[in-house]
Amino acid sequence: MDNISRFLLELGSGFAYVGQEYRLKIGHTEKFIDLLFYNIRLHAYCVIEVKTGTFDSGDIGQLGTYMTAVNHLVKTEQDNPTIGLLICKDKDNVLAQYALESSSQPIGVAEFQLTKFIPDEFKSTLPTIEDIETELK
């Protein structure tokens, strides 16, 4: 809960946590949104997808599908269109720009740095990303 609170504070004021792995039944298919928030100031849902790898243009299609599903299945007439945020380990800015230009939906793409989420007292006991990648090779 502390991590969720910190995350909400970083997003800005007005965000309310709706759910993690939020279940959507789309046709005969079951899908799960990584994180679903609602912004009470914007009167809009915010779908957040987290990718542990490099940004891929197909991620925009997945996020867009989830946003459209929320607009049809969850959003009410009083709500504004759903906002999407894709958080990934790293991205090619040109690829992300082209992928975003192909969508008319309000979507943002951001990178995260794993080391910022690890408390200082644990950093020295954990292997670096480079150590893990070397070990996996």
Side-chain angles (χ1 to χ4, degrees), residues 1 9 22-23 38 41 58 62 81 87 124 128:
M1 292 305 294
L9 290 174
Y22 187 88
R23 180 183 174 271
Y38 186 82
R41 294 178 194 265
Q62 177 189 11
I87 302 173
S124 63
T128 65

Side-chain angles (χ1 to χ4, degrees), residues 1 7 35 41-42 68 81 85 120 128:
M1 292 305 294
F7 183 72
L35 294 167
R41 294 178 194 265
L42 299 174
T68 300
L85 177 60
D120 288 336
T128 65

Side-chain angles (χ1 to χ4, degrees), residues 19-128:
Q20 180 178 355
E21 293 298 317
Y22 187 88
R23 180 183 174 271
L24 288 174
K25 181 100 161 91
I26 304 172
H28 300 294
T29 307
E30 186 176 57
K31 295 290 183 181
F32 295 89
I33 296 172
D34 287 342
L35 294 167
L36 183 61
F37 291 94
Y38 186 82
N39 188 290
I40 56 176
R41 294 178 194 265
L42 299 174
H43 299 282
Y45 285 93
C46 182
V47 173
I48 300 176
E49 280 297 302
V50 180
K51 302 296 180 188
T52 57
T54 301
F55 169 82
D56 183 84
S57 56
D59 298 335
I60 297 296
Q62 177 189 11
L63 180 57
T65 299
Y66 292 170
M67 292 169 61
T68 300
V70 168
N71 283 336
H72 284 278
L73 303 172
V74 182
K75 175 181 143 337
T76 66
E77 288 183 19
Q78 292 78 24
D79 297 322
N80 288 312
T82 301
I83 300 164
L85 177 60
L86 180 67
I87 302 173
C88 51
K89 181 180 171 190
D90 52 30
K91 65 180 167 57
D92 177 321
N93 288 329
V94 175
L95 178 63
Q97 176 187 343
Y98 290 178
L100 289 170
E101 284 182 21
S102 72
S103 174
S104 61
Q105 297 191 68
I107 296 175
V109 177
E111 295 175 273
F112 70 86
Q113 291 183 345
L114 187 60
T115 55
K116 288 186 178 178
F117 297 112
I118 300 173
D120 288 336
E121 61 269 17
F122 294 118
K123 285 182 183 177
S124 63
T125 62
L126 295 173
T128 65

